[in-house]
Amino acid sequence: MKRRIFVSGTIPLCSGLAGCTGLLSDPPMLSVTVFNRSESPYTIEMAFSRTDGDLSRGEARVFSGSIDVGPDEQTVRKDVAKRQQYVIEYSLFRDDGGLTEQDSFHYYPGDESEGGGLTFDITPSGTLTRRWAA
C-alpha cells in the first residue's frame, strides 16, 4: 500500500519538472541573410547593441562584424545574437571602400522571418533594404 502512495505522490513532481526543461534550453538565436541584387560586391558592417538597462556601449554590444556579399549572391551569418530587443547599426561599403549608406534601426523579437532571421537586400543602386516578416 505504501508503494502506491509513493508512486502517486511522485507523478505530479515529475510532471512539474518536465515543464522546466524548456527554461534550461538555449534561447532562440537570430541569423542575418543578405541578398546582393547588384553587379558589385559589398561589405556590410553591423553591430547589435542591447537596449535594456544602464549599460556602457561596450557592455551593450553583443555582436559586431562584417558580412561580405558578392554580386548577385547571398550570404548568411547564423546565430549572431539571441532574439531580444536591439539597436542595429550598419554601414554598407562598395568593394572599392566607398561608403554608400549608414543607418540604424530597432529590432524587436517577432520582426524576423519565419526562418528566425533578419533578411536584407542590397539594391542595384547600392542601398540596403530590410525585408519585413509577413
Side-chain angles (χ1 to χ4, degrees):
M1 185 72 166
K2 290 184 180 182
R3 179 182 254 169
R4 286 185 187 166
I5 293 171
F6 174 74
V7 171
S8 66
T10 58
I11 290 173
L13 176 64
C14 293
S15 297
L17 290 176
C20 293
T21 58
L23 298 175
L24 300 175
S25 64
D26 292 331
M29 298 297 286
L30 191 61
S31 298
V32 176
T33 303
V34 181
F35 292 90
N36 187 350
R37 307 283 184 208
S38 77
E39 296 179 4
S40 301
Y42 281 88
T43 298
I44 303 159
E45 293 181 0
M46 295 189 112
F48 289 49
S49 298
R50 294 186 336 208
T51 60
D52 56 331
D54 188 24
L55 304 172
S56 71
R57 187 169 179 93
E59 292 171 331
R61 178 90 20 108
V62 297
F63 169 78
S64 180
S66 298
I67 301 171
D68 296 320
V69 189
D72 294 317
E73 292 182 0
Q74 79 178 50
T75 300
V76 178
R77 292 284 299 266
K78 292 192 177 279
D79 302 335
V80 297
K82 295 178 191 176
R83 286 190 208 164
Q84 64 182 44
Q85 184 175 339
Y86 295 110
V87 170
I88 299 177
E89 301 168 279
Y90 69 89
S91 300
L92 181 65
F93 296 91
R94 281 188 312 268
D95 189 41
D96 63 7
L99 177 67
T100 63
E101 184 178 15
Q102 190 171 32
D103 204 352
S104 65
F105 63 92
H106 286 267
Y107 161 78
Y108 300 95
D111 287 351
E112 66 276 352
S113 66
E114 287 181 21
L118 295 172
T119 305
F120 300 91
D121 290 297
I122 300 172
T123 65
S125 63
T127 59
L128 191 70
T129 60
R130 182 172 167 202
R131 292 186 190 178
W132 290 92

